[in-house]
Amino acid sequence: MQINIIKIGGNVIDYPQKLEEFLFLFSRFPGKKILVHGGGIMATKFGESMGVMPKMVDGRRITDADTLDIVTMVYAGLINKQIVAKLQGLNQNALGLTGADGNSILSEKRPIKTIDYGYVGDILKINTGLIENLLEDNIIPVFSAITHDKKGQLLNTNADSIASELATSLSNNHKVNLYFCFNKPGVLIDEHNENSIIPLINEEIYGELKKERVIHSGMIPKLDNAFAALHKGVNHVWIGKAENLLLAAKGKLSGTIIENHKYDLY
Amino acid sequence: MQINIIKIGGNVIDYPQKLEEFLFLFSRFPGKKILVHGGGIMATKFGESMGVMPKMVDGRRITDADTLDIVTMVYAGLINKQIVAKLQGLNQNALGLTGADGNSILSEKRPIKTIDYGYVGDILKINTGLIENLLEDNIIPVFSAITHDKKGQLLNTNADSIASELATSLSNNHKVNLYFCFNKPGVLIDEHNENSIIPLINEEIYGELKKERVIHSGMIPKLDNAFAALHKGVNHVWIGKAENLLLAAKGKLSGTIIENHKYDLY
């Protein structure tokens, strides 16, 4: 089957009105689909209201036991279930999951090299069987960014990584498209001009754009991640604004499509 | 198939050590099974640490919007996912659900008569298809006590009611046993003597025990609920201590069994 995996983060989740609008668009997105959501600033806010402050070590955010409890409550509890209930209200048969549920995403606690990130999980294996069964029954899996180690421990996990790993694992037997909803309308030539979207990037173009420093800093891991997914069989990766998701679904230019086919931009 | 539905509440969940022990026993419970958990005092504690105090109207606890957020976080998030992860660690393929997930339990907001209970749901319908599919795939559904109205609203729902309604709905096509883990070892003749367990109660005996005021106050709704389930086709209902669950599974006397067969107690 063809499977569309859509990832949203804080720039959608943190704003109730935007989340509502996104869920409406998502409900209109045709075909088999999976939603992956990060957490945004809500976990930090709830944590602070309970006296749990973000923990930083050498400038990196770490997940201690209290923080893990908070993200589990906010991501897997409040946000995930509100999204599921709202999708049900839109006649979308959503079912919320963490990686622990049905052992759908197995991780290991990130090994300590220089920094101990705490209860952070690096994904080892996706249980595609469960996900395929759900999709075949027309159920829409909605993943929060929590996984587990199969030894009883929940682990905080990067939502982009969950989306990518789901996409690559499912692409063994299916045609998978990956959609990253982003705070910009795509990859931009001029980061201050939202009309300067680069519509299509392949590896050749990516190399040139990096050399010319058009693509730099935060966009590089995002695109490296996208190309890694393509190399593992994902059909295409889209980066754009949540509000343009339906245009993307219809194949209209509405963000940046990343694919491995040769394409002559100039 | 034969399905065992086990319900635990605060007297297990509020004590990490007891929960751990219970989950080990549950993992040894043979056959197809479903776990239903209430919330205990954790939601209240977390709520208070965030400045959300329990709301009471005319002495009855109500679920306002803030309280609903808290119970969704604590029941459907923290407790549910910790239980699922721990069961996975015991090689039990658990999958956590609210009634919103897969539209598994549809409720309506309790109609306002004299008291507005707020976001409290009374169950209308169980989607047995999803639950049967999961059980057939050897997945163990783990329900938290949150449901939804299919219009986008989550609802706080009594965990005993969820267990009973699951049992009666599934008993249309299956042999269903219902196990209520309780803070006493069963229904007692003398409430101060834990050795005075009544091993078996049928409707006739229940009538007599009520007349003699051996069974009174809080036990009455519990037993009424049990008999209602039996009338709707549930095979038997067990009430006892969590630590005796495995004895119950083996058919040994270990609590009170409630059934509709004639049984001569005296």
Side-chain angles (χ1 to χ4, degrees), chain B:
Chain B
M1 54 186 145
Q2 178 165 326
I3 302 169
N4 300 297
I5 300 177
I6 294 134
K7 188 256 164 178
I8 53 171
N11 55 313
V12 173
I13 290 165
D14 290 337
Y15 307 94
Q17 180 66 26
K18 281 184 88 171
L19 179 59
E20 202 92 27
E21 285 164 15
F22 166 78
L23 293 174
F24 179 78
L25 293 180
F26 179 82
S27 76
R28 294 296 176 271
F29 198 104
K32 304 287 186 190
K33 55 198 171 187
I34 296 173
L35 181 61
V36 179
H37 62 87
I41 53 166
M42 281 177 74
T44 309
K45 272 206 230 161
F46 271 105
E48 283 173 359
S49 78
M50 293 172 59
V52 178
M53 295 298 155
K55 303 288 183 307
M56 310 290 281
V57 173
D58 293 342
R60 309 299 287 265
R61 180 179 285 245
I62 66 149
T63 304
D64 63 0
D66 285 343
T67 304
L68 180 70
D69 282 358
I70 302 279
V71 297
T72 303
M73 287 197 286
V74 177
Y75 299 170
L78 191 61
I79 294 174
N80 189 267
K81 298 315 168 191
Q82 283 183 342
I83 288 175
V84 167
K86 280 179 180 153
L87 286 174
Q88 289 287 347
L90 293 162
N91 263 316
Q92 300 281 296
N93 197 7
L95 189 151
L97 294 167
T98 66
D101 296 296
N103 190 25
S104 51
I105 307 174
L106 178 66
S107 289
E108 61 169 356
K109 188 173 176 299
R110 183 170 299 166
I112 303 167
K113 287 175 191 163
T114 49
I115 296 175
D116 180 0
Y117 286 92
Y119 296 105
V120 166
D122 292 325
I123 299 170
L124 294 176
K125 190 175 180 296
I126 303 279
N127 174 1
T128 52
L130 170 65
I131 298 162
E132 288 165 329
N133 286 348
L134 294 172
L135 290 170
E136 272 159 23
D137 287 345
N138 293 315
I139 292 171
I140 301 164
V142 177
F143 280 94
S144 63
I146 306 285
T147 63
H148 78 141
D149 68 357
K150 195 81 172 66
K151 294 172 199 154
Q153 182 63 55
L154 294 164
L155 294 165
N156 192 8
T157 301
N158 181 277
D160 281 1
S161 303
I162 288 180
S164 299
E165 293 285 341
L166 283 170
T168 56
S169 298
L170 288 164
S171 66
N172 287 332
N173 292 308
H174 309 282
K175 184 175 174 185
V176 182
N177 297 319
L178 187 50
Y179 297 83
F180 287 105
C181 297
F182 192 45
N183 59 358
K184 300 225 157 134
V187 182
L188 304 177
I189 295 201
D190 169 5
E191 61 188 311
H192 304 296
N193 178 1
E194 297 225 332
N195 292 320
S196 68
I197 307 166
I198 306 170
L200 244 161
I201 299 182
N202 65 11
E203 212 139 26
E204 225 182 324
I205 298 169
Y206 180 41
E208 283 183 39
L209 292 169
K210 269 199 293 192
K211 228 186 288 170
E212 296 165 18
R213 300 194 107 319
V214 171
I215 292 174
H216 58 91
S217 55
M219 271 318 284
I220 291 181
K222 250 191 161 50
L223 285 168
D224 283 346
N225 191 21
F227 281 107
L230 294 177
H231 287 157
K232 290 180 189 154
V234 172
N235 183 54
H236 79 231
V237 180
W238 175 91
I239 296 182
K241 279 203 167 170
E243 50 261 48
N244 293 324
L245 191 62
L246 278 195
L247 290 174
K250 288 175 188 157
K252 303 214 171 134
L253 285 181
S254 60
T256 300
I257 289 190
I258 301 147
E259 57 177 36
N260 261 337
H261 311 293
K262 297 261 168 192
Y263 178 83
D264 210 344
L265 187 66
Y266 303 108

Side-chain angles (χ1 to χ4, degrees), chain A residues 7-264:
Chain A
K7 188 256 164 179
I8 53 171
N11 54 311
V12 173
I13 290 166
D14 291 336
Y15 307 94
Q17 180 65 25
K18 281 184 88 170
L19 179 58
E20 202 92 26
E21 284 164 15
F22 165 78
L23 293 174
F24 179 78
L25 293 179
F26 179 82
S27 77
R28 295 296 176 269
F29 198 104
K32 303 287 186 190
K33 54 200 171 186
I34 296 173
L35 181 60
V36 179
H37 62 88
I41 53 166
M42 281 178 73
T44 309
K45 272 204 230 163
F46 271 105
E48 284 173 359
S49 78
M50 294 175 56
V52 178
M53 294 298 156
K55 304 289 183 310
M56 311 289 283
V57 172
D58 292 343
R60 309 298 286 266
R61 179 180 287 245
I62 65 149
T63 304
D64 63 1
D66 285 343
T67 305
L68 180 68
D69 282 357
I70 301 280
V71 297
T72 304
M73 288 197 284
V74 178
Y75 299 170
L78 191 62
I79 295 175
N80 189 266
K81 298 316 169 192
Q82 284 184 340
I83 288 175
V84 167
K86 280 179 180 154
L87 286 174
Q88 290 286 349
L90 292 162
N91 263 316
Q92 301 279 295
N93 197 6
L95 189 151
L97 295 166
T98 66
D101 296 296
N103 189 25
S104 52
I105 307 175
L106 178 66
S107 289
E108 62 169 354
K109 188 172 175 298
R110 183 169 297 167
I112 302 168
K113 288 176 188 163
T114 50
I115 295 174
D116 180 359
Y117 286 91
Y119 297 104
V120 167
D122 292 326
I123 298 169
L124 294 176
K125 190 175 179 295
I126 304 280
N127 174 0
T128 51
L130 171 65
I131 298 161
E132 288 165 328
N133 286 349
L134 294 172
L135 290 170
E136 271 159 24
D137 287 343
N138 293 315
I139 291 171
I140 301 165
V142 177
F143 279 96
S144 63
I146 306 284
T147 62
H148 78 142
D149 67 358
K150 195 83 172 67
K151 295 172 200 155
Q153 182 62 56
L154 293 165
L155 294 165
N156 192 8
T157 302
N158 182 277
D160 281 1
S161 303
I162 289 180
S164 298
E165 294 286 341
L166 283 170
T168 57
S169 298
L170 288 164
S171 65
N172 287 332
N173 292 309
H174 308 281
K175 184 174 172 186
V176 182
N177 297 319
L178 187 50
Y179 297 83
F180 286 105
C181 297
F182 192 46
N183 58 358
K184 300 227 157 130
V187 182
L188 303 178
I189 295 199
D190 170 4
E191 60 189 311
H192 305 295
N193 177 1
E194 297 224 331
N195 293 318
S196 68
I197 306 165
I198 306 170
L200 242 161
I201 298 182
N202 64 13
E203 210 138 26
E204 224 182 325
I205 298 169
Y206 180 43
E208 282 184 42
L209 291 170
K210 271 199 292 192
K211 225 186 290 169
E212 295 166 17
R213 302 195 106 315
V214 171
I215 291 174
H216 59 90
S217 55
M219 272 317 285
I220 291 181
K222 248 189 162 51
L223 286 168
D224 282 347
N225 192 20
F227 280 107
L230 294 176
H231 286 158
K232 289 178 190 156
V234 173
N235 183 52
H236 80 232
V237 180
W238 175 89
I239 297 181
K241 281 201 169 174
E243 50 260 49
N244 293 324
L245 191 63
L246 279 195
L247 290 172
K250 289 175 186 158
K252 299 210 175 142
L253 285 180
S254 59
T256 300
I257 288 189
I258 301 146
E259 56 176 37
N260 262 337
H261 312 293
K262 297 262 170 191
Y263 178 83
D264 210 344

